Amino acid sequence: MQVQQILKSKGTDSVVTVKPGTSVIDAARILAEKRIGTVVISSNGTKALGILSERDIVYHVARTGPSVLTDKVDTYMTSNLVTCQLADSADSVLERMTNGRFRHMPVVEEGEMVGLITLGDVVKARLSELAMEKDALEGMIMGH
Ligand code: AMP
């Protein structure tokens, strides 16, 4: 299974982005409103400059205090982004997420973001693929 199929099964390829200079509290409001775990920082909506996750916010507020909330997302985002491409396999993405200990990955083609997949998206897609394989094997064994 490829990233392309995972994105298709999600039904949306839109990525929630905020511009550099956005405050952390505004980013947190977007996370809460949309019930998501990360925002991608981008000036034009397609070139990813960094990612800010709920974990970053919790970590920095706990360490520094509530003043973090009025700082800019740029200060706390992870700019060393790990991305994937449409043709990458689900297994390779799972491996990179597990090794890097993060749950989100922008999908980038020729420098432009074309979607974002989460650990949950990949696990769900892999489980349904495994269930189909199991049914097919059972069918073969039972002679259906
Ligand atoms: P997450 O598990 O995605 O909430 O993120 C955990 C940590 O990894 C946070 O510090 C994020 O900023 C960072 N992070 C999330 N996604 C990525 C990614 N694709 N590449 C690099 N770092 C990431």
Side-chain angles (χ1 to χ4, degrees), residues 37-38 51-56 76-78 80-83 100-106:
T38 54
I51 195 162
L52 183 81
S53 105
E54 54 200 0
R55 277 203 191 159
D56 297 316
Y76 306 108
M77 71 185 188
T78 304
N80 207 358
L81 268 184
V82 180
T83 62
R101 294 175 184 276
F102 49 78
R103 299 162 294 176
H104 301 84
M105 209 186 262

mmCIF file of all heavy atoms in Angstrom, residues 37-38 51-56 76-78 80-83 100-106, ligand 1:
data_model
loop_
_atom_site.group_PDB
_atom_site.id
_atom_site.type_symbol
_atom_site.label_atom_id
_atom_site.label_comp_id
_atom_site.label_asym_id
_atom_site.label_seq_id
_atom_site.Cartn_x
_atom_site.Cartn_y
_atom_site.Cartn_z
ATOM 1 N N GLY A 37 -4.067 17.343 15.672
ATOM 2 C CA GLY A 37 -2.904 17.338 16.563
ATOM 3 C C GLY A 37 -1.759 18.242 16.136
ATOM 4 O O GLY A 37 -0.857 18.509 16.933
ATOM 5 N N THR A 38 -1.787 18.690 14.877
ATOM 6 C CA THR A 38 -0.679 19.548 14.412
ATOM 7 C C THR A 38 -1.171 20.592 13.420
ATOM 8 O O THR A 38 -2.177 20.387 12.729
ATOM 9 C CB THR A 38 0.405 18.766 13.619
ATOM 10 O OG1 THR A 38 -0.220 18.057 12.569
ATOM 11 C CG2 THR A 38 1.221 17.860 14.463
ATOM 12 N N ILE A 51 6.502 22.358 11.575
ATOM 13 C CA ILE A 51 5.272 21.749 12.098
ATOM 14 C C ILE A 51 5.215 22.010 13.604
ATOM 15 O O ILE A 51 6.246 22.005 14.279
ATOM 16 C CB ILE A 51 5.248 20.237 11.744
ATOM 17 C CG1 ILE A 51 3.871 19.626 11.931
ATOM 18 C CG2 ILE A 51 6.276 19.452 12.541
ATOM 19 C CD1 ILE A 51 3.698 18.288 11.196
ATOM 20 N N LEU A 52 4.026 22.309 14.093
ATOM 21 C CA LEU A 52 3.852 22.531 15.537
ATOM 22 C C LEU A 52 2.759 21.587 16.003
ATOM 23 O O LEU A 52 1.633 21.620 15.491
ATOM 24 C CB LEU A 52 3.430 23.978 15.810
ATOM 25 C CG LEU A 52 3.304 24.327 17.289
ATOM 26 C CD1 LEU A 52 4.674 24.635 17.899
ATOM 27 C CD2 LEU A 52 2.375 25.516 17.506
ATOM 28 N N SER A 53 3.110 20.745 16.963
ATOM 29 C CA SER A 53 2.115 19.772 17.421
ATOM 30 C C SER A 53 1.663 20.116 18.837
ATOM 31 O O SER A 53 2.304 20.899 19.544
ATOM 32 C CB SER A 53 2.682 18.354 17.327
ATOM 33 O OG SER A 53 3.034 17.845 18.569
ATOM 34 N N GLU A 54 0.549 19.502 19.233
ATOM 35 C CA GLU A 54 0.029 19.714 20.592
ATOM 36 C C GLU A 54 1.120 19.391 21.626
ATOM 37 O O GLU A 54 1.215 20.026 22.669
ATOM 38 C CB GLU A 54 -1.214 18.851 20.813
ATOM 39 C CG GLU A 54 -0.975 17.381 20.505
ATOM 40 C CD GLU A 54 -2.256 16.598 20.253
ATOM 41 O OE1 GLU A 54 -3.348 17.188 20.315
ATOM 42 O OE2 GLU A 54 -2.147 15.390 19.994
ATOM 43 N N ARG A 55 1.965 18.424 21.290
ATOM 44 C CA ARG A 55 3.057 18.046 22.211
ATOM 45 C C ARG A 55 4.030 19.181 22.425
ATOM 46 O O ARG A 55 4.531 19.395 23.523
ATOM 47 C CB ARG A 55 3.835 16.855 21.642
ATOM 48 C CG ARG A 55 3.158 15.600 21.963
ATOM 49 C CD ARG A 55 4.109 14.427 21.944
ATOM 50 N NE ARG A 55 3.281 13.255 22.014
ATOM 51 C CZ ARG A 55 3.643 12.062 21.641
ATOM 52 N NH1 ARG A 55 4.846 11.866 21.152
ATOM 53 N NH2 ARG A 55 2.815 11.060 21.751
ATOM 54 N N ASP A 56 4.351 19.905 21.327
ATOM 55 C CA ASP A 56 5.278 21.043 21.443
ATOM 56 C C ASP A 56 4.691 22.082 22.393
ATOM 57 O O ASP A 56 5.398 22.647 23.220
ATOM 58 C CB ASP A 56 5.506 21.682 20.062
ATOM 59 C CG ASP A 56 6.163 20.720 19.085
ATOM 60 O OD1 ASP A 56 7.113 20.026 19.489
ATOM 61 O OD2 ASP A 56 5.715 20.658 17.921
ATOM 62 N N TYR A 76 8.742 27.710 18.293
ATOM 63 C CA TYR A 76 8.626 26.349 18.850
ATOM 64 C C TYR A 76 8.404 25.261 17.798
ATOM 65 O O TYR A 76 8.389 24.080 18.135
ATOM 66 C CB TYR A 76 7.488 26.318 19.885
ATOM 67 C CG TYR A 76 7.664 27.368 20.946
ATOM 68 C CD1 TYR A 76 6.846 28.492 20.973
ATOM 69 C CD2 TYR A 76 8.673 27.257 21.888
ATOM 70 C CE1 TYR A 76 7.030 29.485 21.923
ATOM 71 C CE2 TYR A 76 8.866 28.238 22.844
ATOM 72 C CZ TYR A 76 8.045 29.353 22.858
ATOM 73 O OH TYR A 76 8.247 30.324 23.792
ATOM 74 N N MET A 77 8.223 25.670 16.542
ATOM 75 C CA MET A 77 7.957 24.636 15.523
ATOM 76 C C MET A 77 9.206 23.790 15.282
ATOM 77 O O MET A 77 10.331 24.234 15.526
ATOM 78 C CB MET A 77 7.511 25.305 14.204
ATOM 79 C CG MET A 77 8.618 26.037 13.494
ATOM 80 S SD MET A 77 7.967 26.906 12.039
ATOM 81 C CE MET A 77 9.509 27.459 11.288
ATOM 82 N N THR A 78 8.985 22.577 14.814
ATOM 83 C CA THR A 78 10.099 21.729 14.373
ATOM 84 C C THR A 78 10.320 22.037 12.900
ATOM 85 O O THR A 78 9.422 21.840 12.078
ATOM 86 C CB THR A 78 9.736 20.237 14.539
ATOM 87 O OG1 THR A 78 9.378 20.011 15.902
ATOM 88 C CG2 THR A 78 10.878 19.325 14.161
ATOM 89 N N ASN A 80 13.024 20.916 11.154
ATOM 90 C CA ASN A 80 13.714 19.807 10.504
ATOM 91 C C ASN A 80 12.690 18.727 10.136
ATOM 92 O O ASN A 80 12.638 17.674 10.752
ATOM 93 C CB ASN A 80 14.731 19.258 11.497
ATOM 94 C CG ASN A 80 15.896 18.617 10.809
ATOM 95 O OD1 ASN A 80 15.921 18.555 9.575
ATOM 96 N ND2 ASN A 80 16.832 18.115 11.585
ATOM 97 N N LEU A 81 11.886 19.018 9.128
ATOM 98 C CA LEU A 81 10.729 18.167 8.826
ATOM 99 C C LEU A 81 11.089 16.865 8.127
ATOM 100 O O LEU A 81 11.903 16.867 7.202
ATOM 101 C CB LEU A 81 9.806 18.923 7.883
ATOM 102 C CG LEU A 81 8.684 19.759 8.492
ATOM 103 C CD1 LEU A 81 7.828 20.337 7.379
ATOM 104 C CD2 LEU A 81 7.842 18.898 9.397
ATOM 105 N N VAL A 82 10.452 15.797 8.560
ATOM 106 C CA VAL A 82 10.553 14.533 7.820
ATOM 107 C C VAL A 82 9.271 14.428 6.992
ATOM 108 O O VAL A 82 8.171 14.514 7.537
ATOM 109 C CB VAL A 82 10.674 13.332 8.781
ATOM 110 C CG1 VAL A 82 10.777 12.031 8.006
ATOM 111 C CG2 VAL A 82 11.876 13.501 9.700
ATOM 112 N N THR A 83 9.422 14.282 5.697
ATOM 113 C CA THR A 83 8.246 14.223 4.820
ATOM 114 C C THR A 83 8.257 12.922 4.026
ATOM 115 O O THR A 83 9.254 12.201 4.020
ATOM 116 C CB THR A 83 8.237 15.416 3.833
ATOM 117 O OG1 THR A 83 9.399 15.326 3.010
ATOM 118 C CG2 THR A 83 8.238 16.748 4.558
ATOM 119 N N GLY A 100 11.280 8.137 14.509
ATOM 120 C CA GLY A 100 11.364 9.567 14.849
ATOM 121 C C GLY A 100 10.457 9.963 16.003
ATOM 122 O O GLY A 100 10.511 11.094 16.458
ATOM 123 N N ARG A 101 9.610 9.037 16.456
ATOM 124 C CA ARG A 101 8.657 9.296 17.558
ATOM 125 C C ARG A 101 7.750 10.482 17.276
ATOM 126 O O ARG A 101 7.595 11.391 18.086
ATOM 127 C CB ARG A 101 9.390 9.525 18.886
ATOM 128 C CG ARG A 101 10.096 8.298 19.371
ATOM 129 C CD ARG A 101 10.892 8.589 20.613
ATOM 130 N NE ARG A 101 11.656 7.430 21.028
ATOM 131 C CZ ARG A 101 11.179 6.441 21.768
ATOM 132 N NH1 ARG A 101 9.947 6.468 22.187
ATOM 133 N NH2 ARG A 101 11.931 5.420 22.077
ATOM 134 N N PHE A 102 7.176 10.535 16.069
ATOM 135 C CA PHE A 102 6.157 11.531 15.771
ATOM 136 C C PHE A 102 5.022 10.863 15.015
ATOM 137 O O PHE A 102 5.172 9.747 14.504
ATOM 138 C CB PHE A 102 6.732 12.725 14.997
ATOM 139 C CG PHE A 102 7.561 12.353 13.804
ATOM 140 C CD1 PHE A 102 6.962 11.953 12.613
ATOM 141 C CD2 PHE A 102 8.943 12.398 13.874
ATOM 142 C CE1 PHE A 102 7.720 11.611 11.513
ATOM 143 C CE2 PHE A 102 9.717 12.052 12.774
ATOM 144 C CZ PHE A 102 9.111 11.658 11.599
ATOM 145 N N ARG A 103 3.870 11.536 15.004
ATOM 146 C CA ARG A 103 2.650 10.906 14.485
ATOM 147 C C ARG A 103 2.086 11.582 13.244
ATOM 148 O O ARG A 103 0.980 11.258 12.816
ATOM 149 C CB ARG A 103 1.579 10.913 15.590
ATOM 150 C CG ARG A 103 1.972 10.139 16.832
ATOM 151 C CD ARG A 103 1.127 10.516 18.014
ATOM 152 N NE ARG A 103 1.379 11.908 18.388
ATOM 153 C CZ ARG A 103 0.722 12.550 19.354
ATOM 154 N NH1 ARG A 103 -0.228 11.949 20.020
ATOM 155 N NH2 ARG A 103 1.016 13.820 19.636
ATOM 156 N N HIS A 104 2.818 12.546 12.706
ATOM 157 C CA HIS A 104 2.312 13.285 11.544
ATOM 158 C C HIS A 104 3.390 13.396 10.477
ATOM 159 O O HIS A 104 4.564 13.556 10.812
ATOM 160 C CB HIS A 104 1.884 14.694 11.963
ATOM 161 C CG HIS A 104 0.813 14.690 13.007
ATOM 162 N ND1 HIS A 104 1.088 14.577 14.345
ATOM 163 C CD2 HIS A 104 -0.530 14.748 12.886
ATOM 164 C CE1 HIS A 104 -0.051 14.577 15.025
ATOM 165 N NE2 HIS A 104 -1.057 14.681 14.166
ATOM 166 N N MET A 105 2.974 13.320 9.224
ATOM 167 C CA MET A 105 3.952 13.466 8.152
ATOM 168 C C MET A 105 3.351 14.142 6.928
ATOM 169 O O MET A 105 2.406 13.620 6.325
ATOM 170 C CB MET A 105 4.501 12.083 7.760
ATOM 171 C CG MET A 105 5.917 12.171 7.240
ATOM 172 S SD MET A 105 6.475 10.600 6.627
ATOM 173 C CE MET A 105 7.386 10.035 8.011
ATOM 174 N N PRO A 106 3.883 15.340 6.581
ATOM 175 C CA PRO A 106 3.416 15.977 5.357
ATOM 176 C C PRO A 106 3.833 15.162 4.142
ATOM 177 O O PRO A 106 4.929 14.573 4.122
ATOM 178 C CB PRO A 106 4.136 17.332 5.361
ATOM 179 C CG PRO A 106 4.591 17.549 6.766
ATOM 180 C CD PRO A 106 4.839 16.175 7.322
HETATM 181 P P1 AMP B 1 3.544 14.420 17.060
HETATM 182 O O1 AMP B 1 3.742 13.043 17.605
HETATM 183 O O2 AMP B 1 3.352 14.412 15.580
HETATM 184 O O3 AMP B 1 2.520 15.203 17.814
HETATM 185 O O4 AMP B 1 4.917 15.214 17.244
HETATM 186 C C1 AMP B 1 5.905 14.925 18.207
HETATM 187 C C2 AMP B 1 7.120 15.840 17.937
HETATM 188 O O5 AMP B 1 7.643 15.601 16.626
HETATM 189 C C3 AMP B 1 6.827 17.347 17.975
HETATM 190 O O6 AMP B 1 7.980 18.003 18.475
HETATM 191 C C4 AMP B 1 6.605 17.726 16.521
HETATM 192 O O7 AMP B 1 6.934 19.075 16.231
HETATM 193 C C5 AMP B 1 7.560 16.777 15.819
HETATM 194 N N1 AMP B 1 7.073 16.336 14.500
HETATM 195 C C6 AMP B 1 5.811 16.002 14.146
HETATM 196 N N2 AMP B 1 5.739 15.617 12.875
HETATM 197 C C7 AMP B 1 7.000 15.705 12.381
HETATM 198 C C8 AMP B 1 7.593 15.433 11.104
HETATM 199 N N3 AMP B 1 6.885 14.981 10.072
HETATM 200 N N4 AMP B 1 8.921 15.669 10.962
HETATM 201 C C9 AMP B 1 9.664 16.107 12.003
HETATM 202 N N5 AMP B 1 9.176 16.359 13.229
HETATM 203 C C10 AMP B 1 7.857 16.165 13.426
#
